[in-house]
Amino acid sequence: MSSTGMNFLAISKTEAMEHIVKILEIHKVTHNVKSFRFEKPANYMFTLGQATDVSVNKEGWEKEIRPFTFTSLNEYPYLEFTIKRYESHNGVTNQVHLLKEGDELIIRDVWGAIECKGAGWFIAGGAGITPFIAILRQLYKDDKLKGNKLLFSNKTEADIIYRDELSHMLGNDFINILTDEKNGKYENGRIDKAFLKKEIPDFSKHFYVCGPDKMIADVNSILNDLGAVPDNVVFEK
């Protein structure tokens, strides 16, 4: 039972074994986000939207574990994370951003996070977009994106992760809202009840919600009020 009183679907992780993998490529995505492509262990598979626990294979950091979601597809010959840097924390994300090609990560087995259950509304805040990336890429590849819509909240336009790719894939079904910037291109504000009522005509479809904890709780509560079907709401826990 969630804090909103609805039986939202949340999937928990399980124990995992370790794999040491070498970073193959690093690409800049935004001013504080990079994608990391790295070796794929033999027979390593995941459900799109799933994550694994990750640490840096350097002295003192091997046991500092954080979860990251795969943004690659299973058919790719490599694995990929898309990771936002929180430099002021001096934590794992900062350490990852200091790595170079040839450095190593330690990954574990996959565990359940967000899994696509059918066409619906994807609602993301900031780095919360990452569980949706592989799902949307696969739907686009399979020509099955029709009927899906992405509502994406960020502080500024510069913070929009994979803006060009998402715009290309989703077109008018890619809706951005900025909390800290007014630039005339995107709506200014937050993903609140008025915004969701304006953008979503059908609350009986599936909902996928990921972002900061408070945002998830607030959005889930609003969806409850607006009549979303509890079993159709999937969120990262």
Side-chain angles (χ1 to χ4, degrees), residues 81-92:
F81 296 136
T82 301
I83 299 176
K84 181 177 179 179
R85 183 180 193 178
Y86 298 91
E87 189 171 0
S88 61
H89 297 179
N90 193 29
V92 173

Side-chain angles (χ1 to χ4, degrees), residues 19 32 48 72 84 93 99 101 111 143 146 170 198:
H19 306 270
N32 60 357
L48 302 182
S72 49
K84 181 177 179 179
T93 61
L99 297 177
E101 294 174 0
W111 50 272
D143 197 24
K146 185 177 181 180
L170 287 157
K198 175 171 68 74

Side-chain angles (χ1 to χ4, degrees), residues 65-131:
I65 298 171
R66 299 293 184 275
F68 294 114
T69 308
F70 299 104
T71 53
S72 49
L73 304 186
N74 273 306
E75 66 192 61
Y76 293 176
Y78 55 82
L79 296 173
E80 180 188 76
F81 296 136
T82 301
I83 299 176
K84 181 177 179 179
R85 183 180 193 178
Y86 298 91
E87 189 171 0
S88 61
H89 297 179
N90 193 29
V92 173
T93 61
N94 188 50
Q95 287 299 312
V96 171
H97 270 249
L98 296 175
L99 297 177
K100 300 176 181 179
E101 294 174 0
D103 288 337
E104 295 175 336
L105 299 173
I106 304 171
I107 65 172
R108 284 79 182 173
D109 290 341
V110 302
W111 50 272
I114 290 176
E115 180 180 352
C116 187
K117 301 293 185 179
W121 319 105
F122 291 82
I123 303 173
I129 189 66
T130 54

Side-chain angles (χ1 to χ4, degrees), residues 215-231:
M215 174 196 161
I216 292 175
D218 289 346
V219 170
N220 286 352
S221 179
I222 294 169
L223 293 177
N224 183 20
D225 293 342
L226 294 175
V229 179
D231 288 342

